[in-house]
Amino acid sequence: MEQRTRVILHSDLNNFFASVEIARNPELKGKPLIVCGDPKERHGIVLAKNEEAKKYGIKTAETVYSALKKCPHVQMVASHYHDYKRYSDLVRAIYERFTEKIEECSIDECALDVTESVALFGSGEEIAQKIRSAVKDELGLTVSVGVSFNKVFAKLASELKKPDAVTVISKENYKVKVYPLPVSYLWLVGGKTEEALHKLGIRTIGDLAETDASVLTKVLGKRGRQVRVYARGEDEEEVHWQKTKEDMKSIGNSLTLPKDVTDREEAKRWLYALSESVAARQRAANVGRANTVHLVVRNAQLQFSGWQTKVPPTALCGDIAKAAYELFCAHCPTGTRVRLLGVSVSGFDYHVEQLTLDNVIDEAAGEISYEKKERVENAVAKIREKYGYATMQRGVVLGDERTDGLDIRGKKEEIISETQLRGKEE
Ligand SMILES: [Mg+2]
């Protein structure tokens, strides 16, 4: 069966900070302008500039002093971050007229999946044009929108023409439009990757697409295979949208044990089983990593106790379980009869992981990177989804036949609310 072609937009606000400053104060329009932390501080840094300032060769991140040398009459304004956030939200509200599947890549860039919206609002290109004109008419800002059948090409398209433009890269035209471009135009290709590709004689995206995968893997590892996939228009990454992520403050699971537990090792196995379901849900919810682990214990006298601890940001079962077990050991004296255990995480960073060269280097150095552990846990979750929970068990869980093969994901005999938990914290 042929898969449906996705329709992805990548929308990038042009000279965003400077444009908001002009929207706030139209008198600034048409003149070279830079945004800086403190305009009186000549050693301050240029945070943003408009098209007119660009013509003088002014660059982001250079000093105000050097910008003034290039253009003595450049207008300088202090940054107003709250206004940038406010405008960013207003732009998002425009996107939401067309789809709820919006991924915020940064304050001025979003990826939108409008595959389902085409029947209602017209083709991807038509939707992009509607967004472009609404942002301009209603907010006085301009946007460059790329339209394509995957995220990588949509982003690339958004960069091809700006400001105030729509560019389409389709399955019909990508070989003509994309293949002649330098490899550095491709997402994740910069610096060292570009250098390595040049050494192989690969200069254009087309060269990269037509190079044997094994050649690339030899020189660049997994990253080589990845950039080849991008070049060939085979990127399948989804737009990571999360409608209610702002509401998701914590994710947890708790369980009344089949019998009271007094043995620490046994409690540890249950904590691993609980943490596994928590970590899997956390990753599925795309909320990023958590910086706090909570433990709830109910004893044989039915008294609740709860504790929490800060952890290095994580979405891994191993990290969560370890922190929960440490809390358990610190607060539950040996011999405590435990009837219920609950594990939850909070303090999400909503950070979406990207594959970076650092991961590859870590692995080359023989370290198991966070990303690798995460991939392993994701793979396990997928196998379980397909073949049942009992097919794969952690060593620590396998030690006890009472937890072996027991699916605790759906069991929530005791659901502990966050407020209840807070109320019981020491
Ligand atoms: Mg931008």
Side-chain angles (χ1 to χ4, degrees):
M1 201 177 74
E2 209 196 329
Q3 250 195 337
R4 176 143 74 136
T5 301
R6 294 186 298 158
V7 185
I8 310 292
L9 308 187
H10 188 98
S11 187
D12 182 1
L13 287 150
N14 309 122
N15 305 321
F16 180 52
F17 292 180
S19 303
V20 171
E21 293 301 335
I22 292 164
R24 291 173 85 241
N25 179 7
E27 278 180 21
L28 297 170
K29 200 173 176 169
K31 303 166 192 164
L33 169 83
I34 55 174
V35 179
C36 33
D38 178 3
K40 289 180 207 88
E41 175 56 71
R42 288 159 69 82
H43 294 289
I45 298 290
V46 176
L47 300 172
K49 74 264 169 208
N50 66 353
E51 289 295 330
E52 285 76 7
K54 263 185 213 173
K55 286 179 194 148
Y56 287 87
I58 294 174
K59 294 193 166 66
T60 301
E62 75 177 302
T63 60
V64 170
Y65 177 76
S66 123
L68 276 169
K69 275 216 291 207
K70 291 176 181 171
C71 176
H73 63 284
V74 71
Q75 302 182 90
M76 298 182 285
V77 291
S79 60
H80 297 91
Y81 191 79
H82 283 291
D83 284 321
Y84 308 151
K85 178 76 178 89
R86 190 166 58 85
Y87 270 90
S88 177
D89 291 345
L90 290 168
V91 174
R92 188 190 164 103
I94 291 175
Y95 301 152
E96 283 171 353
R97 295 173 196 167
F98 302 95
T99 181
E100 72 281 10
K101 295 183 180 172
I102 301 166
E103 175 182 343
E104 282 181 27
C105 308
S106 67
I107 193 163
D108 66 339
E109 282 183 47
C110 283
L112 285 67
D113 185 336
V114 296
T115 311
E116 316 283 335
S117 319
V118 168
L120 288 169
F121 303 108
S123 70
E125 185 174 8
E126 285 166 325
I127 294 172
Q129 289 292 3
K130 282 174 190 165
I131 286 173
R132 188 193 58 76
S133 59
V135 170
K136 195 176 183 183
D137 298 346
E138 296 172 34
L139 303 175
L141 301 177
T142 62
V143 77
S144 295
V145 191
V147 185
S148 196
F149 52 94
N150 64 57
K151 272 168 86 170
V152 170
F153 280 1
K155 178 168 170 64
L156 175 59
S158 76
E159 283 163 11
L160 291 182
K161 207 157 73 177
K162 46 178 134 178
D164 197 22
V166 171
T167 306
V168 182
I169 294 174
S170 66
K171 283 194 171 170
E172 291 69 39
N173 74 15
Y174 75 93
K175 288 191 179 171
V176 177
K177 279 202 174 174
V178 176
Y179 277 19
L181 298 171
V183 276
S184 60
Y185 277 49
L186 206 57
W187 198 29
L188 289 188
V189 178
K192 283 182 181 159
T193 309
E194 186 186 6
E195 223 172 85
L197 291 171
H198 281 179
K199 276 189 194 145
L200 291 172
I202 298 166
R203 302 238 148 224
T204 66
I205 294 176
D207 293 341
L208 177 56
E210 280 151 19
T211 303
D212 228 46
S214 58
V215 174
L216 296 165
T217 318
K218 206 177 282 172
V219 179
L220 287 163
K222 280 177 207 153
R223 193 186 187 79
R225 207 180 315 142
Q226 181 99 48
V227 292
R228 183 176 181 270
V229 162
Y230 292 166
R232 296 168 67 86
E234 292 167 355
D235 162 48
E236 287 183 344
E237 182 154 325
E238 282 172 35
V239 169
H240 299 287
W241 64 285
Q242 182 59 254
K243 206 177 174 186
T244 56
K245 79 173 183 185
E246 255 53 73
D247 305 330
M248 201 176 284
K249 299 272 187 266
S250 77
I251 293 174
N253 201 357
S254 60
L255 181 75
T256 299
L257 306 173
K259 67 170 187 57
D260 291 355
V261 167
T262 50
D263 177 46
R264 280 216 167 142
E265 283 305 307
E266 197 180 345
K268 186 181 186 176
R269 288 193 282 273
W270 285 110
L271 290 172
Y272 265 88
L274 284 163
S275 300
E276 201 147 48
S277 72
V278 170
R281 280 172 54 207
Q282 184 188 345
R283 291 194 303 273
N286 271 326
V287 291
R289 300 180 191 179
N291 68 11
T292 308
V293 172
H294 309 256
L295 170 72
V296 166
V297 172
R298 194 180 197 188
N299 64 18
Q301 292 74 47
L302 304 181
Q303 292 162 322
F304 272 111
S305 303
W307 306 275
Q308 61 179 341
T309 185
K310 289 272 182 213
V311 292
T314 187
L316 297 178
C317 163
D319 296 345
I320 297 166
K322 185 170 169 279
Y325 182 60
E326 282 170 4
L327 283 172
F328 184 83
C329 293
H331 297 285
C332 297
T334 315
T336 307
R337 294 181 76 85
V338 176
R339 181 149 303 172
L340 170 145
L341 287 170
V343 175
S344 61
V345 291
S346 67
F348 305 123
D349 60 7
Y350 299 107
H351 176 71
V352 178
E353 261 320 306
Q354 301 292 355
L355 190 68
T356 68
L357 198 57
D358 294 345
N359 312 143
V360 180
I361 292 164
D362 280 353
E363 285 177 28
E367 277 174 44
I368 302 175
S369 67
Y370 178 97
E371 283 69 22
K372 190 157 190 177
K373 288 186 205 161
E374 184 170 76
R375 282 199 296 275
V376 169
E377 289 201 1
N378 280 333
V380 169
K382 270 198 186 125
I383 291 167
R384 282 180 170 161
E385 210 170 89
K386 214 167 175 182
Y387 300 108
Y389 189 82
T391 46
M392 290 191 83
Q393 292 291 332
R394 264 173 200 273
V396 68
V397 175
L398 270 178
D400 185 334
E401 73 278 7
R402 274 162 304 203
T403 56
D404 183 17
L406 179 62
D407 184 353
I408 59 160
R409 287 168 306 165
K411 282 204 184 174
K412 283 184 198 152
E413 289 146 47
E414 304 276 358
I415 296 175
I416 302 155
S417 72
E418 200 55 16
T419 33
Q420 242 177 315
L421 188 67
R422 292 253 158 79
K424 302 291 175 191
E425 272 160 22
E426 280 186 344

